[in-house]
Each structure stands twice: as C-alpha cells, then as structure tokens.
Amino acid sequence: MKGKSLISINDYSKEEQISILELAAHFEQNPIQKILDGYVVATLFFEPSTRTRLSFESAVNRLGGKVIGFSDSSSSSVKKGESLKDTILTVSNYSDLIVMRNPVEGSARYASEVSKVPVINAGDGSNQHPTQTLLDLYTIRQTQKTLDNLHVAFVGDLKYGRTVHSLVQALCNYNTTFYFISPNELKLPSYIKMNIKNSNLKYYQLTDMAEVMSNIDILYMTRVQRERFSDPLEYERVKDAYILKRDMLTDIKENMKILHPLPRVNEISEDVDDTPQAYYFQQALNGVFVRQALITSILGIK
Amino acid sequence: MVTELKVSAIENGTVIDHIPSKNVFQVIKILDLENFDNQILFGTNLESKKYGTKGIIKVRNKYFADDDINRISLVAPKATLIVIKDFQVVEKRRVEVPDTIDGIVRCFNPNCITNVENVATKFKVVSKDEVILQCHYCEKNTVKKNISFK
Ligand SMILES: [Zn+2]
C-alpha cells in the first residue's frame, strides 16, 4: 500500500484491508514505537472534528512523527480564498502524508489527484470516512474473532449516515447478513442496497429492533436527528423506538456487542454502558491503532 | 427523401440523424461545433416516420472519434451516425452510451467539489439503460432527469 491514498473504503481490496487490520493488532500490542522519526504528517481540517483529529495526531505522535496543519479553516489561508489545489500543492511540499477533512464532497479524491504525497480522507462531507470504517471492521473482528458470516444490525438514521454506508459496502466482502432498522423516512438508500444485491447477500428492513435482538452478532447504533425529519411530529412519534435500553438486552447471543461511531446523544441509555455488550468506548480507542497501521503502511515503513 | 432535400447532401463528412428536435442545439454544444471551421448544416423539426419529428446535423469533412460522438447519447440516445465519403454512405451505426463521461455534464450534488471549485467533472456510467452517472469525486448519482450540461 506504499504511496496509495485512501479516499473511499473500496480503494483498498479485501486483502489490503485485512493487512491493515493485522498490522493494527500489532500496534495494539506495541502502540509506542519510534519508527516515524523524521516524518511529517499534515492534518488539514477544513471543518473542526476534534475526535478524529486527535486520534490521527495521537497515532503519529506515539510513533515519533511530527504533525503540522490546522484544525479549522478560519485560521488558515483557505479563509483568504486560496483554492484547495493551491493549499494541497503547498502542503505537499512540507509533508510526507496529508490527512484531510473537508465538508465538500469529493474534495478528498480531488486532493489526492493534485497532491505529490498520499492523502488519507478523514471525512468529506456526507461521502466517505474510510478510517472510521477500518476501525469498525477492526472492532468487529476483535470482538467476534472473524469478519465472515456475521449477522449485523444497523439502527437509526440509515439514510444520511455515511458511517453506515461505508461499513455496509465493506461488509459486503464478508458474507454478512444485514438487518436495517430505521424510521421509514430514514431508510438505507437504494444505491447502497444495490451493493448488497450485487454481492448476493441477504438483508432485512424493519422498523422495530426488538425483532432481531436474538439473531445478531453486532448491533451498530447511530443517532436519529430531529433535523432529518420533514415532519417534526413524525420525529416525536418515532424517536423512542430507536433508543437502546438495558432491558432490551435479555434474549441475546453471548457474543453480541454494541457499537456506535460516537458521539452519542441519547440513543443508547447510559445504563447500557456497564453491560458486557457495550463496546463503543473500546471501539473509539481502536481508531488510534488502525490509523497507526494505515499511516505506516502508506509511508512504506511497515 | 423529402427531409433529405431540406438539408442538402454532403460529399465527405458525418451526418448525425434522428436527434430529438429539441436537443439539436445541445448536441451542437456537446460536440463543440460552435468552434468548428468546417461547414455545418443542421435542421430541426423535420418529419420522421419513426419519431414524429427529428433533428439532423451534417458536418462537412469531419469524422468523429467514437468517444466524442458517444457523448451525445445522453441527449440523443437514438441518434444514428452516418459516415459519408464521395457521397456514399460508408458506415451507419447507432450511438452508444459510453462507460465514462468526462467534462460535459454537471454533477447534481451542489456540495460536490466540481460545483465548488474549478474542477472538471468525471462520471462512471453505472446504468446504460436508465442513464445513471456516478460522480468520480463525490460518488453521488446523477440520474437522467437531473442531467444538465456545463
Ligand atoms: Zn459530484
């Protein structure tokens, strides 16, 4: 993967994804190694995302590399009207790798085409956020010891959630059975369902998560936001159906784990946090190991 | 024969027939004929047995590459390409929807980099029958009814 930008999860083959996950397991065992001495990674955040930025910067710092960049566009030359192309060309003179988050969809792909150094997409609007997908895959593999033949339920806003879209696309490589539980207004878009159909996999669309609880290995929760509804009354009517409560975790498989891309609002009630199924905080920690694996692979160090 | 007479025959060049009348100017734009020095003849609202009315364009002394001519399939899916040498038809074929579309179509997503900065569009044709274009940059689909030209 040396020199290969990661913009969209499908840019990496199944084998390349697995090799990142295996290397991430190695960094989980040894997170502090001074192997990036002398390397400079630029983190260009055109919109703030503290969680993602800190995860990348922690990954680089623990490997002894240096980070340059900005955390939102108000403090940069971008505000003065510089084009993305000029910013990327300039920064690629100063760095070995660019990590970019930008609210404009497709900006990461474009940056990778003009940049002299590889680019990692840390989120381009509603489009892609592939390192989140890798860390989701890593966490699923960590908890289930495999990625193959799992039953995975997605709950909440499946229409706008890019995290869900990318993870569904990635899981199509692993013979997954999918359960999609959402309000009617926030169903998974048909172009994502097309990926599942093309892979000849099974999926079920429901509005009530209670029906699937006993079947699933992974419960992937997402936020349902009021502003996504055209009718606010509809939001009020359905919102409670997509909140996970402790008493719903009675008839479940032993290996079942709950994931969430964080931050959560109220879709997982806090009394779920200390159940053996809650795994969303470990999931967030895995982001550092996965990003260490990705950065060192792209720089050709590991 | 009557329609042929309305736009006179050419000795060498290309005839594009069976263009929907209302899209003749669009085809001219897509092929960038405005900037050609060659002699160009065109007609719209001509009678067509198959489609009611049609448009036709004749470009003297010009032969198009397949990739160029196939781009017009977005607005003229039933167009016929007729290659003429010495007043003889040497080739006649339908245009085909290409695998990729570069440059001419606007991405329907207003938050796409191609609509925010000066970046040329690129699309993968994910359905030739329904004409669905997937943006190379934002990965969103532009469907036939939303296609507009840059
Ligand atoms: Zn686009």
Side-chain angles (χ1 to χ4, degrees):
Chain A
M1 273 146 286
K2 188 177 178 192
K4 189 170 177 183
S5 293
L6 177 61
I7 306 304
S8 191
I9 188 67
N10 291 335
D11 292 351
Y12 282 18
S13 67
K14 179 179 175 179
E15 291 69 31
E16 287 173 323
Q17 293 172 15
I18 297 273
S19 91
I20 297 285
L21 304 187
E22 281 170 356
L23 186 55
H26 157 80
F27 282 113
E28 188 178 359
Q29 299 304 313
N30 309 285
I32 302 167
Q33 305 179 34
K34 300 292 166 200
I35 52 177
L36 284 187
D37 191 31
Y39 284 91
V40 176
V41 174
T43 54
L44 309 185
F45 278 60
F46 293 79
E47 65 177 349
S49 173
T50 310
R51 193 179 299 271
T52 304
R53 186 172 55 83
L54 292 182
S55 176
F56 271 107
E57 295 187 356
S58 169
V60 175
N61 285 324
R62 285 187 170 170
L63 299 177
K66 292 277 179 293
V67 175
I68 59 170
F70 48 83
S71 55
D72 73 89
S73 55
S74 64
S75 59
S76 72
S77 57
V78 179
K79 209 186 167 193
K80 301 184 191 101
E82 187 181 54
S83 71
L84 179 61
K85 183 180 178 180
D86 289 5
T87 305
I88 295 296
L89 281 174
T90 307
V91 173
S92 60
N93 285 328
Y94 305 146
S95 59
D96 303 295
L97 174 69
I98 292 174
V99 175
M100 183 175 90
R101 185 183 190 98
N102 191 311
V104 177
E105 287 132 30
S107 55
R109 178 74 61 201
Y110 178 62
S112 74
E113 290 174 352
V114 297
S115 176
K116 289 182 274 184
V117 299
V119 175
I120 296 175
N121 181 8
D124 62 328
S126 71
N127 185 31
Q128 289 271 342
H129 188 9
T131 58
Q132 175 73 45
T133 311
L134 286 172
L135 89 85
D136 290 342
L137 289 175
Y138 183 79
T139 308
I140 294 172
R141 193 170 184 252
Q142 185 181 49
T143 61
Q144 309 297 322
K145 311 294 171 227
T146 178
L147 283 169
D148 295 312
N149 312 316
L150 296 173
H151 289 242
V152 180
F154 291 88
V155 177
D157 178 357
L158 308 186
K159 185 175 180 184
Y160 298 100
R162 68 174 172 201
T163 311
V164 171
H165 301 170
S166 301
L167 184 56
V168 169
Q169 286 173 330
L171 285 173
C172 284
N173 289 324
Y174 300 96
N175 196 35
T176 307
T177 303
F178 296 96
Y179 303 85
F180 299 114
I181 300 127
S182 71
N184 275 324
E185 216 166 318
L186 299 177
K187 280 208 248 182
L188 196 74
S190 53
Y191 71 95
I192 302 292
K193 277 184 257 176
M194 198 61 82
N195 287 285
I196 303 173
K197 286 179 201 158
N198 291 342
S199 310
N200 291 317
L201 299 178
K202 281 200 205 110
Y203 71 91
Y204 304 92
Q205 294 194 103
L206 310 106
T207 51
D208 182 0
M209 63 175 135
E211 292 174 48
V212 304
M213 278 298 180
S214 58
N215 296 339
I216 56 176
D217 303 300
I218 293 288
L219 179 61
Y220 198 102
M221 298 293 299
T222 66
R223 261 183 299 165
V224 174
Q225 292 164 283
R226 186 190 302 264
E227 51 286 12
R228 298 299 192 194
F229 285 80
S230 50
D231 176 2
L233 289 175
E234 178 66 10
Y235 169 77
E236 293 301 327
R237 203 176 62 76
V238 304
K239 63 175 184 188
D240 290 340
Y242 303 95
I243 295 176
L244 181 66
K245 301 187 185 78
R246 193 181 179 119
D247 62 15
M248 298 164 83
L249 299 172
T250 46
D251 180 23
I252 52 169
K253 285 166 87 170
E254 212 174 306
N255 59 315
M256 195 273 255
K257 295 291 178 216
I258 304 159
L259 306 187
H260 188 297
L262 302 182
R264 100 179 123 171
V265 182
N266 63 349
E267 56 280 1
I268 302 176
S269 58
E270 282 184 31
D271 60 8
V272 173
D273 293 355
D274 54 10
T275 65
Q277 287 74 42
Y279 209 78
Y280 25 93
F281 295 112
Q282 291 94 321
Q283 179 187 7
L285 173 67
N286 287 337
V288 174
F289 311 132
V290 166
R291 290 176 176 114
Q292 286 180 316
L294 183 64
I295 289 166
T296 51
S297 295
I298 293 177
L299 290 174
I301 293 159
K302 283 277 178 180
Chain B
M1 250 354 255
V2 178
T3 55
E4 286 300 310
L5 287 175
K6 282 182 185 156
V7 184
S8 66
I10 56 174
E11 184 178 349
N12 289 297
T14 303
V15 177
I16 306 161
D17 200 359
H18 299 118
I19 302 167
S21 281
K22 62 177 182 3
N23 291 345
V24 166
F25 293 96
Q26 204 93 69
V27 170
I28 288 171
K29 198 173 156 194
I30 291 171
L31 294 175
D32 197 30
L33 299 181
E34 289 146 279
N35 297 315
F36 271 38
D37 295 328
N38 310 41
Q39 202 177 76
I40 296 163
L41 306 158
F42 69 88
T44 65
N45 299 316
L46 307 170
E47 280 169 42
S48 160
K49 284 194 190 103
K50 276 192 208 152
Y51 309 114
T53 74
K54 66 171 185 177
I56 192 165
I57 299 172
K58 302 188 177 193
V59 189
R60 205 159 260 172
N61 300 323
K62 169 75 188 174
Y63 303 106
F64 293 92
D66 285 356
D67 286 351
D68 289 335
I69 201 77
N70 282 338
R71 303 199 299 186
I72 72 167
S73 62
L74 298 178
V75 295
K78 298 195 162 74
T80 317
L81 180 79
I82 303 162
V83 179
I84 299 189
K85 286 178 181 163
D86 294 327
F87 294 108
Q88 301 294 311
V89 173
V90 297
E91 193 197 341
K92 197 169 183 176
R93 64 170 180 84
R94 281 278 189 87
V95 297
E96 286 168 22
V97 180
D99 298 330
T100 57
I101 305 274
D102 290 357
I104 52 172
V105 176
R106 209 181 287 281
C107 180
F108 190 61
N109 172 14
N111 194 36
C112 175
I113 186 73
T114 61
N115 289 318
V116 175
E117 294 213 9
N118 182 24
V119 178
T121 59
K122 281 188 207 173
F123 297 91
K124 189 166 104 184
V125 179
V126 289
S127 168
K128 292 195 179 189
D129 296 338
E130 295 171 59
V131 189
I132 301 175
L133 311 180
Q134 187 186 34
C135 178
H136 166 73
Y137 291 102
C138 72
E139 305 182 19
K140 301 277 186 290
N141 286 346
T142 298
V143 299
K144 190 168 187 181
K145 71 173 177 11
N146 296 329
I147 289 176
S148 69
F149 295 87
K150 280 211 167 188

